[in-house]
């Protein structure tokens, strides 16, 4: 099986043009097949504010009414995505900027209204990812760059969490590629001591994860991230790596990078 | 040779959701390979106004400073393009929304500053179009949807006239496909009598074109459009058809559509 990296970047990379430049430079050096997934960072909120559209967040999720969907379609699908693509082309990476609607690659279902109406927010389901279409683009030499938008297959774009998209892509593609999912965040990895950036735990398997939880070394904010990671691994993803975006070059230089979660260490 | 339609739509289709819906419905019914090219209509101006960015036009061309480039990247590359893609997917057409940066498909050169500084505006040149990359997407079953953005290959997106993009694509692809270029505009075609929508001239070849010019039947506003069309034909395009977007279905129904310009009638 060929190897595939799926890398997700968030606000700390996107909102800072210098960070983004360095990240993309390291990204282009990664050998083999790769997919980039990005959110919109603070730019969507800034553009929304300028247009007089208020951002409403519930538990870190954006409430997406019609006006907000317009903003995120402009910012995620246009401004952020196309600038990343243009920069990757400059580095010789044949990037292709995508929403889930393009090539019908990721379909989602509009989140049902329960206590909260999230508006045009899409939830991923089993079979959301068009594995064949995406494989064809990869083997044709393209590097897909996904923003945090999907569609319902019936003409409606949907705002969809970028972490979730990255994870769904990794699980779906793990049947075809030896898939490693990388989440870039602001820390060097999972830390033994939260105040010591050098205390990165290099490898965690499910047994060690249980130990770390019992020892209360992993703090509550990291638990959902790691739970989701181990779920992806249980669903076939080879490894999930959590690390700092500006250390990504370590992979190419065969140096340690972040915390590697996998079935067996 | 396989046949290919390249269809350009402008403001009168994009700015009216009903027109757009009907156009896309007819577009999906067109048999064979096809590419859609769109501008941004009035939406870019509206969004720019809302953001407090003044639109400056010279001879119908938008002066594109950094702020304006952000707006057109959001509106052309995001809002308009991705909504067209989502709607085409609903109709079962496997659309892929693109700028020239995506897949390195269209490279342009930033327009040199002479008397006017157009800013980040790109001019097409010989070899701008990545014919091989585009052919691969077509034969893989995708329907490319291009917005009016290209890149310089060095990380810079460029605002580029949609008519020019459509024409450049048609000329470049005519070496690989039997290419017909269709410009949708607000009239039924080139008219014998400007006040009579039913007086469409169905076929014009270069000889007839000279006659019509001498007889002053073609009014001045149409001359650049037709001159460009005959240049494209001289460069290998099979035919250029000029017609009204809501008549596009006539092609599928084998009824006459617009004015057909070609080497020989």
């Amino acid at each position: 099986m060929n190897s595939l990296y799926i890398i997700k970047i968030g606000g700390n990379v996107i909102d800072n043009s210098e960070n983004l430049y360095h990240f993309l430079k390291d990204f282009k050096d990664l050998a083999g097949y790769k997919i980039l997934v990005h959110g919109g960072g603070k730019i969507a909120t800034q553009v929304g504010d300028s247009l007089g559209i208020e951002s409403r967040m519930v538990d870190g999720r954006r409430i997406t009414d019609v006006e907000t969907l317009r903003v995120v379609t402009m910012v995620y699908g246009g401004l952020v995505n196309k600038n990343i693509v243009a920069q990757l082309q400059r580095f010789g990476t044949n990037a292709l900027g995508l929403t889930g609607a393009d090539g019908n690659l990721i379909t989602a279902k509009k989140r049902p209204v329960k206590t909260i109406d999230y508006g045009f927010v899409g939830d991923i389901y089993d079979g959301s990812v068009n594995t064949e279409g995406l494989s064809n683009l990869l083997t044709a030499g393209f590097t897909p760059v996904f923003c945090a938008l999907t569609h319902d297959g019936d003409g409606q774009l949907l705002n969809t969490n970028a972490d979730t998209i990255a994870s769904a892509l990794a699980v779906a593609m793990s049947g075809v590629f030896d898939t490693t999912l990388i989440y870039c965040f602001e820390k060097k990895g999972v830390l033994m001591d939260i105040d010591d950036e050098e205390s990165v735990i290099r490898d965690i398997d499910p047994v060690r994860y249980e130990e770390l939880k019992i020892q209360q070394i992993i703090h509550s904010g990291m638990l959902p991230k790691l739970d989701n990671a181990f779920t992806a691994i249980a669903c076939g993803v080879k490894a999930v790596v959590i690390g700092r975006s500006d250390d990504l070059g370590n992979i190419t230089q065969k140096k340690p990078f972040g915390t590697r979660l996998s079935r067996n260490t």
Side-chain angles (χ1 to χ4, degrees), chain A residues 206-226:
Chain A
V207 174
R208 181 103 170 89
Y209 184 43
E210 288 310 313
E211 291 169 4
L212 289 166
K213 280 198 283 191
I214 290 165
Q215 296 163 22
Q216 298 190 313
I217 285 168
I218 294 174
H219 67 285
S220 60
M222 284 298 284
L223 285 177
K225 234 187 205 1
L226 295 181

Side-chain angles (χ1 to χ4, degrees), chain A residues 91-179:
Chain A
F91 294 136
T93 294
N94 199 10
L96 199 61
L98 301 164
T99 67
D102 297 286
N104 195 27
L105 292 169
I106 312 173
T107 316
K109 284 192 177 124
K110 187 170 179 293
R111 185 170 300 169
V113 178
K114 290 176 185 165
T115 50
I116 296 159
D117 183 357
Y118 283 93
F120 296 101
V121 164
D123 288 324
I124 298 286
Y125 55 92
D126 238 18
S128 272
V129 178
N130 176 350
T131 313
E132 193 188 339
L134 194 49
S135 300
N136 289 344
L137 288 177
L138 286 166
T139 52
F142 294 109
T143 296
V145 177
F146 281 99
C147 68
L149 292 167
T150 59
H151 76 142
D152 70 354
D154 204 27
Q156 182 64 57
L157 293 166
L158 294 168
N159 187 8
T160 302
N161 182 268
D163 280 14
T164 311
I165 287 179
S167 172
L169 288 172
V171 169
M173 297 308 280
S174 63
V176 192
F177 294 90
D178 219 359
T179 305

